[in-house]
Amino acid sequence: MKKIIAPSLLSANLAFLYRDIEMLNESEADWFHLDVMDLSFVSNISFGFSFIQYVKKYTSKPIDVHLMILNPELYIKKFKESGADHIHIHYEACFHLNKTIFLIKKYGLKVGVAINPHTPIFLLQDIINDIDFVLLMSVNPGFSGQVFIDHTYDKIKDIKNLILKKNSTALIEVDGGINLKNSYFLFKSGADILVSGSTIFSNSDPKNIIRKLKEIC
Ligand code: DX5
Ligand code: ZN
């Protein structure tokens, strides 16, 4: 499978949001990654439904929504209506994970389960056949521009083993602290999708960074 690059708009310049959306449309980026935060599950707040609607209106690329919120099951319908194509919910934020996974599927969306750096992979064994993606956090969620946690490489290998053992079709998406150096090793370890925010948007030629990330695939 061709590897996927999903730029995170958390690092975009919100004063020039339309310009950044157009830049991603013209680039080799595959998806738009949108980080939704609620000031409870993480100590930050980002954007919500109207932001997603706006982005959806100006791109035809898939909208990959990462929910860093408590009680996500209450808002799945709204996120679907706003334009989400994929929804990731956090393992640590769901009391009834199986139920919420199937709720997302009921709306015809692809579903991912995100896990924090401290969450062991074996906890996914009973849902790995029900999901499209594992979103592995390589930083603690909440902010862009953090330092990549090296333990991520071992976790990718553990997820890969679980996927093979269970004959699952889930893809491995990694999020946080990704740059041109570690992306090579992440793909080599078994990652299928890389999310990148500050590495792309802090560069004066973001399209070129996206091209380089795609070349590494
Ligand atoms: C962090 C978010 C990430 C973030 C990535 O909680 O989930 O998607 O935007 O940003 P960088 O690539 O700067 O770590
Ligand atoms: Zn994210």
Side-chain angles (χ1 to χ4, degrees), residues 33 35 66 68 175:
H33 182 85
D35 292 295
H66 176 190
M68 283 160 273
D175 184 4

Side-chain angles (χ1 to χ4, degrees), residues 1-7 28-31 64 86 133 171-174 187 191-195 213-214 217:
M1 192 201 97
K2 191 88 186 89
K3 307 287 186 181
I4 287 170
I5 299 296
E28 292 177 41
D30 299 283
W31 300 346
D64 190 56
H86 317 150
F133 317 108
L171 299 176
I172 303 174
E173 181 167 346
V174 186
F187 282 134
D192 301 294
I193 303 147
L194 298 185
V195 175
L213 286 166
K214 287 292 288 184
C217 291

